[in-house]
Amino acid sequence: MPKPIILAVDDDTSVLEAVVQDLRRHYGQQYRILRAASGKAALDTAEQLKERGEQVALFLSDQRMPGMTGVELLENVIPLYPDAKRALLTAYADTEAAIRAINSAKIHYYLNKPWDPPEEKLYPVLDDLLEAWQQGYKPAFEGLRVIGTRWSPQDHATRDFLGRNHVQYQWLNLEQHPEAAKLLEEHKLDAKNLPVVCFGNGDVLVQPSQLELAQKIGLRTQAEQQFYDLVVIGAGPAGLAAGVYGASEGLRTLIVEPEAPGGQAGSSSRIENYLGFPQGLSGEELAKRATLQANRLGAEFLTQRATCVRSENNYHIITMADGNEVSCHVCLVATGVSYCKLAVPGADRFTGAGVYYGASMSEAISCANEEVYIVGGANSAGQSAMHFSNYAASVRMLVRGGGLEKSMSKYLIDQIASRPNITVETQTEIVGFDGDGHLECITVKTPKGEEKRSTSSVFIFIGAAPKTDWLPSTVLTDARGFILAGPDLPSDLRAKLKIDRDPFLLESSVPGIFVAGDVRHGSVKRCASAVGEGSIAVQFVHQYLANLSR
């Protein structure tokens, strides 16, 4: 984006050169410094800049100039740039005239020539003026825009993907922003085919797939190599930790993630019990820091979905959704869990159009001044309730049990109790959803009976379903699909596999396929424990590789 402009004006070329040099030395990194040798030339320049849509932050003009004085120039630029700061350069003899001009021409300040040294007599004055201008300056948005409607599941998915990958964008709701219709008309696009993603360079994607978006915003969708020492499937806290430790210890490490780093924890608005962060931090910030750390240490990230893994001669081959394959010595499964679907009439119909699974931070601002419902009583539900209470008029937590104490950390229970716009309803559950095109009301079952309530936003945090349906049957799981590892595996596995050792602590039933984090049977569903498992798993990876080389 073009820098804002400082325009210096003086008919004495030697003085003008000195002014420009002083300005560039102190302000050249933040502002573009332009010059004009007369009031008329400066006014012509200002008009041209206005036509091009460029911003002028400061006019700095000499007073005594033939044809048009500095005061006259500064008066004439007010209609063009009413918010720009205006400063007059005067000789000592012009001081009284300058003071009068402050009132008549709305000049913000005057400076006496010469001003040496500028560090004492020029920069402090201009710093104050420019700081005041910056406070009211709103640069034109030139980045990525998403045109859609609030109740479109695909629009929601697009915005959620961009947000979780830390891509800044402007959302233009077709029903509320006239600019949205104008952009569609400029690109000759049909409003029926939404969402539309407009890029700053003029490119447009219509109803893009997640893979198309990933490629366009610069995420890697093809692996750099065909073989790695360690391939980590999933970039939640466990996967990111494994990536950091694997790469830092010299393993060629690939982290495969179909959506965005952070996993379920990445959508947590505030994690306050994570060691070393007394003020807490968001899941997004934790994921961002871990991703940068893994990248810096040499781990490679791949935006793809793993669809299957097969083992051949002590190697593991992972197939991606696009059909490409990578092979490795060790595969670490850290796919985490997803929230269980609510088996209630209408839930599937309104998913993405008023019914959301997980925090869905992209919807928070849309819920301003509305009543929001949170279903669930664990930490993730509590963190979401706290986050949405900053936007919504009221937040109602629906909990099937008799209270929050069994499933939620005490610090969260205390915070929820302190928020006047959060209400916790126990022994209460949703039994129906209804609406026309999007969610408009829910049927709630309470100890007093059933009742209908109006709402357009319900966020669901119930249960945990492991993401393991893509794994082969040789990777043993429990009845719910969580992966068995180490001591949880059958005692006769060693004999069945005809291997001369017991499985390592986090090793699955297939030698060389490890597991870490929430997807493991018996894991502690906490962010810090997932990070610990991902870190520890790398130590067992080294032991496994050492056994292979014998």
Side-chain angles (χ1 to χ4, degrees), residues 18 20 110 138 152 157 192 209 216 233 270 287 306 312 376 416 437 451 464-465 487 548:
V20 169
Y110 74 91
K138 293 183 178 180
S152 162
K192 295 179 181 179
S209 68
K216 190 62 180 177
I233 311 297
R270 180 64 49 179
E312 298 175 1
I416 288 169
E451 57 185 75
L548 279 184

Side-chain angles (χ1 to χ4, degrees), residues 186-323:
E186 286 180 4
H187 292 287
K188 298 180 180 178
L189 297 173
D190 192 335
K192 295 179 181 179
N193 299 323
L194 297 179
V196 168
V197 183
C198 302
F199 296 83
N201 63 358
D203 291 347
V204 171
L205 290 179
V206 179
Q207 296 182 330
S209 68
Q210 200 162 279
L211 189 60
E212 288 175 324
L213 262 182
Q215 292 170 335
K216 190 62 180 177
I217 63 178
L219 299 178
R220 184 178 297 280
T221 59
Q222 299 290 326
E224 287 185 353
Q225 305 174 47
Q226 290 185 328
F227 180 82
Y228 295 84
D229 296 315
L230 171 63
V231 173
V232 180
I233 311 297
L240 289 171
V244 167
Y245 277 84
S248 69
E249 295 174 11
L251 299 178
R252 289 170 293 177
T253 303
L254 176 69
I255 303 173
V256 180
E257 168 58 48
E259 296 173 357
Q264 201 175 84
S267 60
S268 296
S269 58
R270 180 64 49 179
I271 303 171
E272 299 202 39
N273 57 358
Y274 195 80
L275 184 66
F277 293 87
Q279 301 303 317
L281 79 167
S282 69
E284 177 185 16
E285 181 64 21
L286 178 63
K288 185 176 181 181
R289 289 173 182 234
T291 301
L292 290 172
Q293 188 177 21
N295 264 319
R296 183 178 65 81
L297 292 169
E300 179 187 337
F301 282 81
L302 180 66
T303 302
Q304 278 283 0
R305 185 178 300 279
T307 57
C308 70
V309 57
R310 67 183 189 276
S311 303
E312 298 175 1
N313 301 320
N314 291 327
Y315 294 99
H316 306 288
I317 299 95
I318 299 130
T319 304
M320 306 300 168
D322 64 356

Side-chain angles (χ1 to χ4, degrees), residues 18 56-57 63 73 90 178 183 186 205-206 239 274 302 322 327 377 399 406 434 472 492 540:
V56 177
Q63 165 61 2
L73 167 64
T90 67
L183 279 170
E186 286 180 4
L205 290 179
V206 179
Y274 195 80
L302 180 66
D322 64 356
S327 57
V399 183
K406 290 184 178 180
D434 201 4
D492 61 347
F540 296 119

Side-chain angles (χ1 to χ4, degrees), residues 20 42 85 106 114 124 156 211 224 447 465 469 500 507 509 518 527:
V20 169
K85 299 302 178 182
K106 299 179 181 179
H156 162 72
L211 189 60
E224 287 185 353
D469 56 352
D500 59 357
E507 191 175 18
S509 54
D518 290 359
C527 184

Side-chain angles (χ1 to χ4, degrees), residues 448-483:
K448 296 180 180 180
E450 292 188 1
E451 57 185 75
K452 285 190 176 291
R453 299 182 185 178
S454 296
T455 187
S456 56
S457 298
V458 173
F459 298 88
I460 299 169
F461 302 83
I462 57 167
K467 302 176 182 178
T468 55
D469 56 352
W470 60 281
L471 290 170
S473 59
T474 49
V475 176
L476 300 181
T477 64
D478 63 16
R480 298 175 59 199
F482 290 92
I483 299 174

Side-chain angles (χ1 to χ4, degrees), residues 291-403:
T291 301
L292 290 172
Q293 188 177 21
N295 264 319
R296 183 178 65 81
L297 292 169
E300 179 187 337
F301 282 81
L302 180 66
T303 302
Q304 278 283 0
R305 185 178 300 279
T307 57
C308 70
V309 57
R310 67 183 189 276
S311 303
E312 298 175 1
N313 301 320
N314 291 327
Y315 294 99
H316 306 288
I317 299 95
I318 299 130
T319 304
M320 306 300 168
D322 64 356
N324 287 317
E325 294 182 339
V326 294
S327 57
C328 58
H329 280 308
V330 177
C331 174
L332 174 64
V333 181
T335 47
V337 296
S338 57
Y339 292 109
C340 292
K341 301 296 184 181
L342 196 62
V344 169
D348 291 342
R349 177 184 167 198
F350 297 112
T351 297
V355 176
Y356 307 98
Y357 290 89
S360 191
M361 297 305 175
S362 60
E363 299 298 328
I365 297 177
S366 301
C367 297
N369 304 316
E370 297 180 357
E371 186 169 62
V372 170
Y373 280 79
I374 306 290
V375 179
N379 276 10
S380 53
Q383 290 162 352
S384 181
M386 290 297 297
H387 177 69
F388 279 96
S389 69
N390 295 321
Y391 300 90
S394 66
V395 177
R396 291 186 174 273
M397 295 188 67
L398 306 184
V399 183
R400 285 199 304 177

